[in-house]
Amino acid sequence: MPIRFQARHALPVAVALAVLTACAEQPKTIAPPPPPAPSVMLSPQLVEMASAYRRYLGAATSIAPAFTDGAGVAGALRQGATYEPQQLTKGAIAYGAIVALQDPAFVAGVRAYARDPAQRRQIVHELLKDPAYAVGFAGSQTAASHVIAALGGDAQRLYDAGKQVKQAAYDIQKQPWSRGEVAGRDARLAGAKSLSAAAMSGDANETARLQHASTGGSPFDAAAAQAAAPPYTPTVIRSLALAALAVLGEAGDANLETVMGLVAEPNIGSCMNFSKLNLYQCLAVARPHYEDVFCLGQHAMMDTGRCMIRAAGLPEPHEPRFVPDASSIARGMPAKKAPAKAPAKKPAKKS
């Protein structure tokens, strides 16, 4: 009997022990932390383009209108003509992106979507498909305002410097040397075309400064700006989109081939190409030194500045139509002037 009793209760006891074990509190699984947001990354080649853009602007805006001889005119012409239109366009957009990266609100607005890899890939896809997607990020309006002010300010300085040079074309006509014919006119034109086709390089110190600023290491001054409401020009939009890709870690060397499509803007590029063609045509017919000064001021500087002002979305400068008076005609006019009227036919002699 005792043996039979123990066997009878052995199974229920075992089941109870199994239930108690199953009900015991299981250790909690600790979820891994979310992946860190990628570092801000802008390809050194894009930074170099921005540096080359800044180098040209610095050289061109430093051209002084106080010309004293033909050699000085020739040097200034080389200085003002030394830019390749498409590269200058790309450099302006790359520089605009670095300026946008100085806006903490915009960087934070983009970084909020940077941690989740799937979401990040989707945003990158949208930015490359339509750069205007960048306008939807928090902080985009102040970042756009910084870009407009930076690019528009550079452009206005170039335009104003060109206007002074153009005025010098009239002023120096009182000096005998300015009316002498330029030596080697064909070589001078060929040289301008060669300089216009050559790749530009940035200043080493400026490149290092911009590279540091692009990663947030040493931001340069970005004056406080009011939010600029859209719509924005394609140049400003592309600067914002490139900056957003940099915050997402998707604008480095590994993505350079894809990202380069963002810095090619056909509207401003076409405008700058047209400015260069006007420069070549002006130099082709210019003979005395003062006409070279006119070509430099009007086409290499003012026209290029106007293209950039338009690209920034700022009002274009207004130039009143020039109508030469008797005194200006007497002292001679630069090559670019209002088209002359056809000479009146002499009356037929009466027989």
Side-chain angles (χ1 to χ4, degrees):
M1 288 295 291
I3 294 174
R4 223 179 283 120
F5 177 81
Q6 289 176 358
R8 204 161 146 192
H9 292 288
L11 184 58
V13 171
V15 171
L17 289 172
V19 171
L20 289 173
T21 302
C23 293
E25 185 178 353
Q26 297 295 320
K28 293 181 178 178
T29 302
I30 301 175
S39 301
V40 179
M41 189 179 300
L42 192 64
S43 168
Q45 293 188 51
L46 292 168
V47 176
E48 174 69 17
M49 288 180 182
S51 180
Y53 157 82
R54 294 288 294 169
R55 185 176 189 177
Y56 170 75
L57 264 292
T61 55
S62 67
I63 295 174
F67 298 104
T68 57
D69 53 37
V73 172
L77 183 59
R78 287 191 297 270
Q79 201 170 328
T82 306
Y83 77 84
E84 196 282 314
Q86 299 306 317
Q87 187 184 355
L88 193 65
T89 300
K90 294 174 182 178
I93 293 173
Y95 180 68
I98 296 174
V99 171
L101 288 170
Q102 309 312 302
D103 190 302
F106 178 70
V107 172
V110 178
R111 190 176 287 277
Y113 302 94
R115 288 185 178 276
D116 183 84
Q119 189 176 44
R120 188 167 66 246
R121 286 193 296 271
Q122 181 61 32
I123 291 175
V124 169
H125 172 75
E126 295 295 339
L127 285 168
L128 292 174
K129 183 175 69 174
D130 181 9
Y133 190 82
V135 178
F137 290 112
S140 64
Q141 294 192 8
T142 53
S145 181
H146 288 308
V147 175
I148 292 168
L151 298 183
D154 285 344
Q156 189 64 54
R157 283 189 290 275
L158 179 59
Y159 181 88
D160 291 343
K163 197 170 183 178
Q164 291 183 348
V165 170
K166 178 182 175 181
Q167 180 58 45
Y170 299 91
D171 297 338
I172 64 174
Q173 290 180 46
K174 302 171 185 176
Q175 304 172 27
W177 68 266
S178 73
R179 298 191 290 273
E181 185 165 323
V182 176
R185 292 172 53 244
D186 291 342
R188 178 261 278 124
L189 176 57
K193 291 181 177 180
S194 177
L195 289 171
S196 299
M200 304 182 296
S201 60
D203 174 76
N205 291 332
E206 179 70 357
T207 301
R209 184 183 79 96
L210 294 178
Q211 184 70 62
H212 210 194
S214 71
T215 60
S218 178
F220 54 81
D221 292 335
Q226 298 291 328
Y232 309 125
T233 65
T235 298
V236 175
I237 286 174
R238 287 170 182 270
S239 291
L240 293 177
L242 180 58
L245 288 173
V247 174
L248 296 170
E250 299 288 338
D253 283 339
N255 314 94
L256 183 62
E257 186 175 349
T258 302
V259 171
M260 282 299 290
L262 275 180
V263 294
E265 206 291 282
N267 294 315
I268 182 176
S270 176
C271 184
M272 289 188 179
N273 277 332
F274 191 67
S275 299
K276 273 298 176 78
L277 289 176
N278 282 338
L279 174 64
Y280 302 153
Q281 291 176 358
C282 188
L283 292 176
V285 298
R287 290 184 175 277
H289 295 294
Y290 71 79
E291 290 186 344
D292 269 14
V293 174
F294 178 90
C295 297
L296 167 64
Q298 178 66 62
H299 300 302
M301 299 173 70
M302 291 177 67
D303 287 356
T304 303
R306 183 185 291 277
C307 291
M308 294 170 56
I309 290 171
R310 183 186 306 168
L314 296 176
E316 293 186 44
H318 172 70
E319 289 182 73
R321 184 176 178 83
F322 180 75
V323 179
D325 57 20
S327 61
S328 60
I329 293 174
R331 66 179 181 173
M333 291 295 300
K336 183 74 174 178
K337 56 181 180 289
K341 294 181 180 179
K345 293 182 179 180
K346 294 183 179 180
K349 294 182 178 179
K350 294 181 180 180
S351 53

